[in-house]
Amino acid sequence: MKVKVNGSEMDVKAKTIAELLQELEINPQRVVVEVNLEIIKRERFSDYKIKDGDSIEIVNFVGGG
C-alpha cells in the first residue's frame, strides 16, 4: 500500500502503526505518530490500521543536554 511518511511517498507492507515502525526500524518508545493530523496514542499502535493514502508523520524524541 502507498502511504506518505514524513512527506515522502512509500510502498509499505505494514497494516498497523506498530508494523510500520518495525518495518522502518524505529523504536516505538521514542516517537510520536500522527496519522492524517490525528495524534495516535502509543497504546493504540498495534491495533490502529493504516490505510492506502494515509499521511503519517513520525516525530523522534532526541535527548541531549
Side-chain angles (χ1 to χ4, degrees):
M1 111 174 69
K2 284 194 187 286
V3 294
K4 191 177 279 191
V5 178
N6 293 353
S8 299
E9 266 203 28
M10 303 179 82
D11 273 319
V12 297
K13 295 178 183 177
K15 302 214 182 323
T16 66
I17 293 173
E19 290 174 4
L20 176 65
L21 294 174
Q22 185 175 10
E23 189 173 325
L24 298 175
E25 299 180 359
I26 295 173
N27 181 345
Q29 298 301 317
R30 300 188 50 86
V31 295
V32 171
V33 178
E34 179 185 277
V35 179
N36 301 325
L37 303 178
E38 176 189 354
I39 294 174
I40 309 304
K41 294 186 182 220
R42 188 169 289 117
E43 52 270 10
R44 293 185 56 210
F45 284 3
S46 20
D47 63 5
Y48 189 97
K49 305 268 192 243
I50 55 178
K51 298 175 285 310
D52 195 50
D54 276 350
S55 180
I56 302 166
E57 293 293 322
I58 302 171
V59 180
N60 287 297
F61 291 114
V62 178

